[in-house]
Amino acid sequence: MVSLLASSYVTGKMGEQLQARILGIADEGKVLPFAGTELWVLPAHFLHSVGNFSFYDPLSGILFSGDVGASLGGEEGRVDNFADHCHSMQGFHRRYMASNRACRLWVAMVRKLSPRMIVPQHGGYFEGENVGRFLDWLATLECGVDLLDSRHYRLPTVDWQCIS
């Protein structure tokens, strides 16, 4: 599955046989028939990558969020202590999620699902009250371009001691 945002780049790098097997997905997402039920493909654009998607299983109530909610060095398995766990997510999310606007749009969409669990591809997963805690945290997170100012766009200083 390839997002139309990234499809020409991605498919241009693949052989013809593989291209024939790719199912394009509109930026708005899609409902896919899957094993007698369905799998919802939900937009998560610019939440770590341009044409990103999350996957929701309405039968189990599980949202497979990809890198949204991923943690480095935090709890594995179910997150029991969200306050402690959010420290292991913060650095990654602040650096790799494009903006708070993208986060808020994703959170608003996900809240409509009322998922039972949110399962990122790295680190711990959120269940019960921690689903809401995670969504609240993400909706207010300053990240990506929100953190930039003129200090990030200035000419480097020359170290004249190195030039001789």
Side-chain angles (χ1 to χ4, degrees):
M1 290 175 275
V2 177
S3 162
L4 298 178
L5 284 171
S7 64
S8 64
Y9 172 78
V10 172
T11 57
K13 305 287 184 206
M14 299 177 181
E16 223 172 278
Q17 278 188 326
L18 187 54
Q19 283 186 20
R21 296 177 52 203
I22 292 176
L23 174 63
I25 297 174
D27 295 337
E28 297 79 23
K30 186 174 197 149
V31 175
L32 297 174
F34 184 75
T37 183
E38 52 191 34
L39 189 62
W40 295 11
V41 183
L42 306 173
H45 308 310
F46 298 97
L47 296 178
H48 185 40
S49 65
V50 176
N52 194 25
F53 289 97
S54 298
F55 294 85
Y56 179 67
D57 174 7
L59 192 60
S60 67
I62 298 174
L63 174 65
F64 299 94
S65 59
D67 281 325
V68 181
S71 59
L72 305 170
E75 291 183 67
E76 297 289 329
R78 188 182 71 222
V79 171
D80 292 317
N81 187 326
F82 183 80
D84 286 345
H85 184 74
C86 71
H87 300 291
S88 66
M89 297 186 297
Q90 189 163 358
F92 172 77
H93 283 74
R94 286 174 56 90
R95 180 71 175 182
Y96 290 101
M97 301 299 151
S99 70
N100 178 258
R101 180 177 181 202
C103 292
R104 288 191 325 266
L105 290 167
W106 187 85
V107 166
M109 174 189 64
V110 168
R111 286 191 197 278
K112 293 175 187 173
L113 299 171
S114 298
R116 191 175 64 78
M117 293 170 65
I118 296 178
V119 181
Q121 67 183 5
H122 307 285
Y125 65 88
F126 308 101
E127 186 173 26
E129 291 179 359
N130 282 332
V131 168
R133 288 182 183 122
F134 169 68
L135 295 174
D136 291 345
W137 176 83
L138 188 62
T140 60
L141 182 70
E142 287 188 334
C143 56
V145 296
D146 305 328
L147 303 174
L148 297 177
D149 60 32
S150 61
R151 292 174 296 159
H152 298 97
Y153 290 89
R154 63 179 179 208
L155 298 175
T157 57
V158 177
D159 183 355
W160 292 104
Q161 294 175 357
C162 293
I163 303 173
S164 40

